[in-house]
Amino acid sequence: MSESTVQKHNFDADVKQVLDIVVNALYTDKEVFIRELVSNASDALEKIRHTQLQESEIFDDSLELEVNIQTDDTANTLTIQDFGIGMDENDLTENLGTIARSGSKAFMQALKEKGDAAEVIGQFGVGFYSVFMVAESVKVYTRSWKPDAKGYLWSSDGSGAYTIEEVEGQRRGTKIIITLKEDDKEFAKEERVKGIIQRYSSYVQYPVNLNGEKLNTVQAIWTRNKSEITDEEYQEFYKFQANAWDDARFWLHFSADAPIDIKSLLFVPTDNPEKMGFMHADHDVALYCKKILIDRKPDGLLPEWMRFVKGVVDSADIPLNISRESMQDSQLVQKIGKVITGRFIKFLSEKAKKDPEAYTDFWQNFAHYIKEGITSDFENKEKLSKLIRYESSLTETGKLTSLDDYISRCKEEQKEIYYLLGNSREVIENGPYLEVFKSNNIEVLYLYEGVDEFVMSHIGEYEGKKLVSADSEGLELDASAAQSGEKLSDEDAGSLVEWLKTTLGERVSDVKVSSRLTDNPAIVLNKDKMMTANMRRIMKAMNQDMPQETPVQLEINPAHALVKKLSTLKDSEPEIAGLVAEQMLDNCRMNAGVLEDTQGMVNRIYTLLEKLG
Ligand code: ADP
Ligand code: MG
């Protein structure tokens, strides 16, 4: 091979950073590189099997679908070869020169937060680069399945650059020859490598041979009888199938014959894959037909919100040669998806009953998927509603309640379920909206995230009871019994209301005397149950056309000292009374989270203070 055909490329910046970490900073769990390379080999075999079903002409079509591994402790090398799909020149630069999936920034942040390299490497699609933890140099010989493709050699020592050159006489697939660093010679020893493969790769669906000896007995654990499978086996399979480093938190293993033949094994991870917020997990329940993989990550099998679930679904009813495209509109696949979704929701409900503590922990880590399901999976909305949990005015801090439990505690004649959104328990309990519920001994759910309000409005009604925000107007609730001290006379209250309407003008849509307040002088209420203060804020943030300040409905407490004072002040000192009224309104708007013009409010307070002096 003449030198002129050797092309030198630089890794892109992301890869350089990842390599730098991998080579210089990762010393623990070095053995993960074997798992990563075997997993890539197995992916490549799955891809060729799929391609074989769809293409008529495949290079080296008769090769066995297997992974061959060789150790050589004299030459200090480890070789991993698959007869998979192979790579052409373009694939090589794209796949082994760049990081497509999530970028090195996210990778590094995850590494910082997790501190566990092994877990993070697999998750971020940088598995291949883990070879440089142990490699002095790496040679990748590869030949694509495409009939007219050429063979290539990719080589690198992991520092900044790699070369690609054409080579003759390649078989289909990929052969990776790793020359080990002095300190990592152990990976050229058969016994060491054997242990690693048996530990991590025993569920690979293709034969894995080490120096000619087959190591894995291909097992489709999901087709076996539940009673014969140990928890360790389930955990091991989970780790293999999901490429995971955490344990499964729980799993559902079930089979059905009618109306469709299904065998399924679904896992809920311990860690939420989206916890750190920068990754949207892919669907990860693989579809099989009689132990043969149809699609590793089928789209359209399960609803989007179930993307945190890992595992397999096997159905003998699916045609083997179904294409990825036609799968999405296959009625059968949809039916299978429905059965599985239903069973999975039922499984979670049962878990919640049988083991509330485990369920609560699940909820604390995975709630956002369930909430997403309620707002997007119309068919399962009701069942999913049973799974939500919130704190409430009757729970202790940190303890959660379900809608069913709420109903079991409330009086039968109570027609509505109440909730209130606020940043924390303290904020909600110190605000003015809870008073009337407290004095009537009615439970209010505490919602701490904006999305919860959408969830509530999507549920709409639960077991015949409407879900209503506790800051709505017109609730048939009365706290007058709890109002202490003398109240304004009806006449004085009436004239104060009229005066407030004139004074506050367009800033209020209406002013009323309230019977729901005890400790606070006034409150603004939500007229439109579908457009709460929070939703207004969200829409504003999304840059929707929202009027600068929408008029609010103000209610005043006729028993409150400030209100009584205002009633006389409006005649004796109209100017100050006007400022006080404005200030009271702004305080209420602030409580409701809809105060926009804070500077105006601050200036007004200064004016008021000056007047006092
Ligand atoms: P991931 O496997 O998560 O995509 P890797 O860093 O392990 O990330 O591999 C990067 C890409 O390189 C793979 O997606 C694949 O396209 C390609 N690749 C790696 N190993 C092989 C192989 N043995 N055969 C074919 N392609 C491979
Ligand atoms: Mg990989």
Side-chain angles (χ1 to χ4, degrees):
M1 174 113 317
S2 71
E3 259 182 45
S4 60
T5 59
V6 180
Q7 289 180 21
K8 190 168 175 219
H9 303 262
N10 289 318
F11 285 114
D12 81 16
D14 274 351
V15 178
K16 273 187 201 158
Q17 287 193 28
V18 167
L19 278 172
D20 198 48
I21 297 177
V22 164
V23 176
N24 297 311
L26 302 186
Y27 301 109
T28 54
D29 285 330
K30 280 187 178 182
E31 64 191 36
V32 312
F33 85 93
I34 293 185
R35 185 188 85 153
E36 293 301 328
L37 296 186
V38 172
S39 137
N40 284 351
S42 149
D43 286 350
L45 290 167
E46 278 175 15
K47 285 181 195 158
I48 193 64
R49 202 194 51 75
H50 223 272
T51 311
Q52 280 170 333
L53 291 173
Q54 265 147 28
E55 301 285 339
S56 53
E57 216 182 324
I58 302 266
F59 176 71
D60 254 351
D61 208 5
S62 58
L63 284 175
E64 291 292 328
L65 300 191
E66 60 186 21
V67 185
N68 291 310
I69 301 174
Q70 256 100 42
T71 52
D72 183 341
D73 57 2
T74 359
N76 253 332
T77 59
L78 176 67
T79 303
I80 298 182
Q81 174 170 38
D82 65 72
F83 296 133
I85 196 155
M87 288 179 269
D88 60 21
E89 191 173 11
N90 191 38
D91 294 334
L92 277 172
T93 45
E94 296 255 303
N95 299 338
L96 306 186
T98 56
I99 296 178
R101 236 200 280 157
S102 17
S104 65
K105 272 209 200 79
F107 170 75
M108 268 161 331
Q109 191 181 341
L111 198 59
K112 239 201 272 155
E113 288 174 23
K114 279 245 140 145
D116 183 347
E119 186 171 332
V120 178
I121 280 175
Q123 228 178 356
F124 275 81
V126 295
F128 173 76
Y129 302 109
S130 67
V131 71
F132 289 105
M133 289 194 284
V134 299
E136 198 167 87
S137 69
V138 175
K139 288 190 185 331
V140 178
Y141 292 90
T142 186
R143 164 73 162 85
S144 161
W145 65 276
K146 290 174 195 145
D148 51 0
K150 295 188 176 111
Y152 294 95
L153 165 60
W154 178 104
S155 33
S156 176
D157 62 2
S159 64
Y162 59 91
T163 59
I164 295 181
E165 62 198 275
E166 259 180 63
V167 286
E168 302 290 332
Q170 287 306 299
R171 318 240 37 193
R172 188 193 70 219
T174 303
K175 178 156 98 177
I176 302 179
I177 303 178
I178 303 152
T179 304
L180 294 158
K181 290 181 192 165
E182 196 56 33
D183 287 348
D184 299 303
K185 282 177 170 175
E186 61 191 284
F187 297 108
K189 298 242 183 297
E190 179 174 300
E191 277 315 300
R192 177 79 170 104
V193 174
K194 190 173 182 175
I196 298 168
I197 292 170
Q198 280 169 337
R199 182 145 165 240
Y200 298 122
S201 304
S202 50
Y203 289 100
V204 173
Q205 294 299 304
Y206 299 93
V208 178
N209 307 313
L210 176 63
N211 298 333
E213 181 202 353
K214 186 170 158 203
L215 290 187
N216 59 335
T217 43
V218 180
Q219 329 185 23
I221 180 174
W222 61 91
T223 61
R224 286 166 50 196
N225 201 321
K226 265 198 247 187
S227 59
E228 296 162 5
I229 308 172
T230 63
D231 284 2
E232 288 71 35
E233 282 179 291
Y234 277 122
Q235 292 290 11
E236 225 178 280
F237 178 69
Y238 162 73
K239 291 195 175 98
F240 161 74
Q241 180 67 24
N243 209 28
W245 287 83
D246 60 349
D247 277 336
R249 101 182 11 244
F250 32 69
W251 53 86
L252 165 65
H253 187 180
F254 78 94
S255 57
D257 304 323
I260 313 168
D261 170 278
I262 294 174
K263 293 185 174 53
S264 180
L265 176 51
L266 304 178
F267 295 93
V268 176
T270 300
D271 297 337
N272 172 3
E274 292 177 9
K275 190 163 83 193
M276 286 169 272
F278 41 68
M279 264 212 314
H280 189 84
D282 285 338
H283 273 296
D284 210 353
V285 174
L287 187 62
Y288 283 79
C289 165
K290 294 190 216 154
K291 304 189 200 175
I292 294 176
L293 186 77
I294 307 274
D295 196 339
R296 180 75 183 75
K297 300 183 178 213
D299 278 334
L301 173 67
L302 298 174
E304 187 62 22
W305 64 266
M306 276 183 74
R307 64 188 180 277
F308 65 97
V309 180
K310 317 278 179 185
V312 299
V313 173
D314 193 322
S315 173
D317 294 335
I318 300 177
L320 248 190
N321 60 350
I322 188 169
S323 75
R324 274 165 211 232
E325 293 70 39
S326 62
M327 245 189 40
Q328 288 204 41
D329 8 84
S330 154
Q331 287 215 349
L332 182 67
V333 171
Q334 299 201 342
K335 263 194 212 150
I336 293 173
K338 257 188 210 170
V339 173
I340 290 171
T341 307
R343 284 294 288 258
F344 183 69
I345 297 175
K346 193 167 143 220
F347 166 72
L348 289 179
S349 309
E350 285 167 1
K351 194 94 216 163
K353 273 198 207 100
K354 275 189 248 155
D355 192 351
E357 221 165 282
Y359 182 77
T360 301
D361 194 66
F362 161 77
W363 174 255
Q364 269 149 0
N365 285 281
F366 291 82
H368 89 260
Y369 301 93
I370 307 293
K371 292 176 188 174
E372 186 185 317
I374 290 173
T375 59
S376 63
D377 184 357
F378 184 74
E379 227 171 295
N380 291 303
K381 188 178 81 178
E382 248 156 74
K383 289 184 206 142
L384 286 169
S385 307
K386 294 206 173 297
L387 296 175
I388 61 175
R389 298 290 182 273
Y390 292 112
E391 284 191 36
S392 87
S393 53
L394 294 187
T395 65
E396 289 162 46
T397 307
K399 291 271 185 292
L400 305 176
T401 181
S402 66
L403 293 178
D404 286 329
D405 287 344
Y406 178 106
I407 289 177
S408 74
R409 281 187 294 264
C410 80
K411 295 200 194 87
E412 213 171 299
E413 60 270 21
Q414 186 182 324
K415 294 276 179 310
E416 300 175 321
I417 295 174
Y418 299 101
Y419 60 86
L420 203 48
L421 181 78
N423 286 333
S424 67
R425 179 176 276 269
E426 290 68 37
V427 167
I428 293 175
E429 294 191 337
N430 292 331
Y433 295 103
L434 213 58
E435 292 179 359
V436 70
F437 295 91
K438 270 197 195 141
S439 56
N440 283 283
N441 212 4
I442 292 176
E443 184 169 10
V444 177
L445 299 172
Y446 293 172
L447 279 45
Y448 301 138
E449 286 177 60
V451 57
D452 292 319
E453 220 171 35
F454 281 103
V455 170
M456 290 295 160
S457 70
H458 267 90
I459 300 175
E461 195 174 306
Y462 187 84
E463 303 286 336
K465 296 191 194 297
K466 281 220 171 64
L467 293 159
V468 174
S469 177
D471 63 357
S472 309
E473 71 144 343
L475 303 179
E476 287 165 18
L477 293 173
D478 197 286
S480 29
Q483 290 175 342
S484 56
E486 211 176 307
K487 282 190 224 175
L488 283 181
S489 70
D490 286 355
E491 196 189 335
D492 285 348
S495 77
L496 179 59
V497 162
E498 288 314 312
W499 176 83
L500 281 169
K501 282 187 197 167
T502 328
T503 308
L504 300 174
E506 287 186 343
R507 301 191 66 204
V508 288
S509 59
D510 202 2
V511 181
K512 283 183 185 165
V513 175
S514 180
S515 57
R516 61 178 278 171
L517 290 170
T518 51
D519 301 339
N520 275 273
I523 194 171
V524 302
L525 294 173
N526 242 318
K527 229 191 168 76
D528 184 353
K529 290 185 184 173
M530 301 310 289
M531 180 60 80
T532 61
N534 168 58
M535 293 212 197
R536 224 171 258 289
R537 253 196 322 270
I538 291 172
M539 287 178 71
K540 203 147 207 172
M542 284 168 16
N543 225 345
Q544 304 248 359
D545 279 343
M546 294 297 293
Q548 220 16 53
E549 187 190 274
T550 24
V552 288
Q553 160 138 351
L554 183 70
E555 292 196 3
I556 54 168
N557 177 358
H560 196 278
L562 179 67
V563 173
K564 287 190 274 191
K565 182 95 192 272
L566 194 57
S567 165
T568 51
L569 202 65
K570 76 177 196 306
D571 301 320
S572 58
E573 303 247 25
E575 199 194 342
I576 293 185
L579 291 168
V580 171
E582 292 273 358
Q583 188 56 41
M584 188 173 76
L585 176 64
D586 273 359
N587 287 355
C588 293
R589 294 181 70 96
M590 197 147 68
N591 276 330
V594 289
L595 183 69
E596 307 273 336
D597 180 16
T598 49
Q599 191 53 50
M601 184 195 81
V602 169
N603 291 342
R604 184 185 318 110
I605 292 180
Y606 286 139
T607 315
L608 264 171
L609 291 174
E610 276 168 27
K611 300 238 181 251
L612 284 178

